[in-house]
Amino acid sequence: MLYRVIDSNELPALVDAFMNDYEVIAPVKSGQSYAFEAVTDFNDICLNYTTTITPPKKYLLPPHEVLFRFNAEENEVVDYMLEVTPRVLFGLHACDINALNSLDCVFRDKQFPDPYYEARRDATMIIGLSCTPTDACFCNLMDADEARTGYDLFLQDIGDRYLVSIGSVEAANILESACNPREATDEDRIAFRHMTRTRQASFNPAIPDIQEVPMLMDAFHSDPFWEELGGRCLACTACSSVCPTCYCFDIQDVLDHDGVSGQRERVWDACTSPQFAEVTGGHNFRADGRNRVRHRMYHKLNGFLAKYDRMLCVGCGRCVYACKAHISPIEVFKFFEQKGM
């Protein structure tokens, strides 16, 4: 990995350079929180944001998208012409970068790649930014507090300058043209280690660090705990709406007013929705909250790991704030901690 250092006052020039050829999506202030939105001015960007309300995945996997048009009378299908906007997702924290890496495992599968996702992903540059965890962050427990891959540049704040990790030639060329990057000195490396240790010490110690979570998910699969936890679920699907790694979707055919032509659409879905596991004939494989919540947690903390060798949960903490019933992986960790006492 190639590292360079730039001064903080060079950052506006870097963002302006991206704006010359890309739509720049960055964190901005949104009410009492933050959101990823298109920006045209560096001054609109919040560099010290905590966690955005929703993740940046919507720019790669939109909540709603048209797949193709059809005409039932003519038995004709017309591919939907996807307009791909070259973008820079600027200021992503390590957890969100790792979340996109997990989505890549699914939608960039070598055997069955998703052409819509791939087109957007290939047209998108990822610029990471260091952060300070909130009380709900537990990315350190999910091995997602550092981004080792999946970015074009990663900016680590080390005071009045940034240590820049370079992940692509294209980004390196833009960095070189917009700024005056220099090689890291011993002083820069010492500052980096200091900032890293300070960040590691900032995580909430009240969140249990549980070892062997996948094994425990199997061991306590039938515990009454799931009845209590699932009984709280309101089936509002807020958890999946804010989750950076949820990727379930539904396919719907929407007819035009003529009843003949229409379009096939892909829309986000959620495994906590009561209708999610219902099949033709009316049978529902997960008809109650216990089974739905347990399934969601199992997939995040065990199932995805078994297939892709990485947790699907990245510990961003968004679900902690979004769920009004206080259901989150943290509650599962606390349960495992109690069982180990």
Side-chain angles (χ1 to χ4, degrees), residues 75-86:
N75 196 26
E76 181 182 49
V77 173
V78 179
D79 288 340
Y80 181 73
M81 300 303 294
L82 180 65
E83 294 185 11
V84 177
T85 302

Side-chain angles (χ1 to χ4, degrees), residues 93-164:
H93 291 164
C95 59
D96 279 336
I97 294 176
N98 281 304
L100 294 182
N101 290 342
S102 293
L103 293 182
D104 284 353
C105 292
V106 177
F107 292 100
R108 306 196 85 172
D109 179 84
K110 292 182 179 179
Q111 188 175 4
F112 301 108
D114 185 294
Y116 304 91
Y117 180 92
E118 277 207 317
R120 294 188 179 95
R121 190 70 164 97
D122 290 340
T124 302
M125 295 185 69
I126 306 296
I127 311 300
L129 182 67
S130 60
C131 62
T132 299
T134 68
D135 286 342
C137 292
F138 54 100
C139 57
N140 58 322
L141 306 182
M142 299 289 100
D143 194 28
D145 55 328
E146 294 182 14
R148 301 177 182 89
T149 61
Y151 59 81
D152 295 272
L153 297 176
F154 194 95
L155 309 173
Q156 170 65 53
D157 186 357
I158 54 174
D160 58 351
R161 58 203 187 279
Y162 289 94
L163 180 67
V164 184

Side-chain angles (χ1 to χ4, degrees), residues 70-77 255 258-262:
F70 62 83
N71 187 301
E73 192 172 65
E74 301 293 335
N75 196 26
E76 181 182 49
V77 173
L255 286 174
D258 60 12
V260 173
S261 59

